[in-house]
Amino acid sequence: MSKQRTVRLKCGKPTQVIYVLGTELSIDVYKPSPLGSQTFEVRSSPGVKCFISDQHNVTMVAEHATRWALNKGTLLLVTMEKTSNYVSDSKVTVTFYGEKLESPIDKIIVQLTAVSISLDVDADRDGKVEKNNPNKASWSWGPNGHGAVLLVNCDKDDVAASEPDKSDNAVPIFEDLADMSQMVLRTEGPNSLLPGYKLQLYISTSDNEKAQVFQHSLTSMIHVLGRKKLSFVMDYTKGNNEYNFFVEGLKFPDEGFNSLVTFNLSLLKPMTVGEAPIFTDRVIFRLAPWIMTPNTLAPEEVFVCCVPGNKKFLKEFTAVVEKAKCKLTVCPEAVNFKDRWMQDEIEFGYTEAPHKYFPVVLDSSRDGGLEDFPYQNLLGPDFGHVTRTSDEVNSLDSFGNLEVSPPVTVNGKKYPMGRIIIGSAFPTTSGGRSMAKVIRNFLYAQKVQSPNEDYSDWLYVGHVDEFMSFVPAPDRKGFRLLLVSPDVCCKLFMKLQQEGHGEAQMFEVLLCVSQPGLKKQTVKINEILSNQKLRDDNTYVQQCIDWNRDVLKRELGLDEEDIIDMPGLFELNKSHQAAGAFFPNMVNMIVLGKHLGIPKPFGPLINGKCPLESAVCSALEPLGLDCNFIDDFAAYHLLSGEVHCGSNVRRKSFALKWWNMEM
């Protein structure tokens, strides 16, 4: 349906009217008719279509003259299909007649100049700005959806700049334009137009902090909209023209604001007093979300810290990374300030539009020695940075407490980019620890990876990566969920005891390795099984894990066959009544394709082999996975962390484009 525009006319002097293709002029022929008028006649230039509308129907005016009865509410509707070659090259004449049908009483003459005006974006999401897409003013999800996408320009293309590109209203280098979404204003018509007409581009007050717009000139970029600049006006003097604008997203989706951004264009007609809009066009963008990457996506770059005492760990860790043929980035002590917990400081993700993709690091509010690393060492050309800060920070705000599942289907609903997993306090617990609301709100607002919250406050550190992980698999859902299980560990030790290995000692191998400061004592299988406090601690821990097991099965649509139990033991801290790993927690691993870097548990040696390692290999190797056990005992385990806690992985993006999701 065409946009309708009411035009008020008078008899006598001809009226010049700018007509915009795609609209419909609505002219009341009854109100301006002279006294005594009973009928009227309509004539028009070739290419001008006229229709008579009354209370009952709409009738097209024939090319030959036809008389129409003049009644109250009679409207003349006018459309054109081609732009004019020159000003007022078409016209419509309405002639009024009284009782004497052969003698006209008066006339209305409309002199028409047809122009085409369109504000255009990439509404079909193919990377190109098409002309006047009918869906450009709305947004819908799915492979058959439509609507333009706007990247948050959170990288730093100018390496000399001190802040991300979106931090000011300038474009210091033209390479930055590639991160912006294009918006084109196209006009067609006569080379010269009626004087005084203007084109106004504008944004609402509620949207102006979400995005800003630059106009591309021959030598520079001009800031025209956003950051409290709500309107930009240009003289409309030439019909054929194309104005290129570049739109920059300023904020990722978050609580409290709509992710849609609307831009409007109006054609302004000069009036005796001021100007009046006579045509409006509109386009809509959606701000692209920040997207996490699960363990099942291919690794591209691995990050780890070099700190005092982790030389042996780094050597073994590097060997696994080389197996996986990944780039390894080692953060030196001069940058990490002896902070080894790379997983806790940052979370890697990405953002994407049809025309551009780049990784984006989410910077936690933990802020240890690695505080400056993501901003100073990662933020750069085509590498973005986003952060959310909280005044009150606890251990659950670290990003070992932030994971994402592989793609899942739950009760028929698909989550093709997986679901974010956050650790929180038990639902009935008052005063327990939870991730800061500002971070949780940010994660929920991204929409594409609908978060679910598990129970992790029972742990001393309190991170979900202490009891769960995901590994790729060739069958079923394409992955397995790994859950640590004290029950499985105790049953394994009981079996060993029954086989006569009760005197075998854990940590015995550590005594043969020179590791300064190592204080862990050996412990026999018999001693573990006879330690009632340790058994009680792990009965409680197993109950906590089983709670999460049920939640994860329900929220991720998993069956028991999708879960693998990993042997592990915990002990409760006396003062905090919170659990920590009794031996290196094997579920806290790094996943690099089929290659796994698993904390070496230092279990008892039976015939020269560790039964804990054997149990894990037996469960994972049939899936085509390569188990590599890394000694993280002194460098990480004794400091309440493991391999995953001390490393991080930047992965490839999903093949699926987020805008093609069915929401």
Side-chain angles (χ1 to χ4, degrees), residues 34-310:
L35 190 64
S37 299
Q38 294 183 4
T39 62
F40 67 95
E41 182 182 281
V42 177
R43 292 180 182 272
S44 62
S45 303
V48 180
K49 292 184 178 181
C50 297
F51 302 82
I52 303 301
S53 173
D54 57 27
Q55 295 179 351
H56 303 291
N57 52 44
V58 176
T59 306
M60 185 174 180
V61 177
E63 291 185 5
H64 59 275
T66 303
R67 297 286 172 90
W68 304 84
L70 183 64
N71 299 309
K72 187 176 183 179
T74 300
L75 299 175
L76 172 63
L77 307 178
V78 179
T79 63
M80 299 177 68
E81 295 181 349
K82 295 182 179 180
T83 58
S84 296
N85 294 318
Y86 53 89
V87 172
S88 300
D89 64 355
S90 299
K91 70 176 180 178
V92 175
T93 302
V94 180
T95 305
F96 295 98
Y97 296 87
E99 292 182 358
K100 297 180 180 181
L101 299 181
E102 71 282 358
S103 301
I105 301 175
D106 210 337
K107 293 181 179 181
I108 290 176
I109 300 175
V110 186
Q111 296 177 334
L112 296 168
T113 304
V115 299
S116 173
I117 301 174
S118 65
L119 185 63
D120 295 325
V121 292
D122 178 18
D124 61 3
R125 306 195 282 239
D126 65 353
K128 300 176 182 179
V129 178
E130 62 275 7
K131 183 178 179 181
N132 221 11
N133 187 301
N135 297 315
K136 65 185 180 181
S138 61
W139 213 96
S140 66
W141 295 83
N144 298 316
H146 58 261
V149 176
L150 183 58
L151 280 181
V152 178
N153 195 11
C154 60
D155 69 339
K156 190 177 70 169
D157 288 306
D158 183 1
V159 294
S162 59
E163 295 182 306
D165 295 333
K166 67 182 181 67
S167 301
D168 56 28
N169 56 3
V171 182
I173 58 175
F174 277 91
E175 287 81 356
D176 192 28
L177 297 181
D179 299 337
M180 301 185 193
S181 297
Q182 201 169 0
M183 182 167 65
V184 180
L185 169 55
R186 296 181 170 108
T187 63
E188 295 178 21
N191 288 332
S192 62
L193 294 170
L194 298 172
Y197 282 83
K198 295 181 179 180
L199 294 167
Q200 181 187 39
L201 191 65
Y202 56 98
I203 189 172
S204 69
T205 304
S206 60
D207 283 354
N208 90 98
E209 293 298 329
K210 302 178 194 174
Q212 61 183 352
V213 180
F214 299 91
Q215 184 184 13
H216 189 192
S217 69
L218 292 177
T219 58
S220 64
M221 298 298 298
I222 305 169
H223 177 248
V224 297
L225 281 182
R227 297 193 189 277
K228 305 192 183 305
K229 192 169 185 178
L230 303 180
S231 174
F232 174 66
V233 179
M234 302 177 292
D235 290 330
Y236 184 38
T237 59
K238 183 180 178 182
N240 293 320
N241 220 330
E242 191 169 285
Y243 305 89
N244 291 300
F245 297 94
F246 291 85
V247 189
E248 176 180 67
L250 301 178
K251 292 182 177 181
F252 278 100
D254 212 333
E255 184 190 36
F257 74 84
N258 193 324
S259 296
L260 299 179
V261 182
T262 302
F263 293 97
N264 297 281
L265 172 74
S266 287
L267 174 61
L268 304 180
K269 176 184 177 181
M271 308 292 289
T272 304
V273 178
E275 298 155 339
I278 60 171
F279 168 79
T280 298
D281 206 7
R282 176 178 294 120
V283 296
I284 288 179
F285 290 90
R286 180 178 286 277
L287 289 164
W290 177 78
I291 302 170
M292 288 181 65
T293 52
N295 285 355
T296 48
L297 290 176
E300 291 194 315
E301 186 174 6
V302 179
F303 295 81
V304 70
C305 290
C306 176
V307 293
N310 79 336

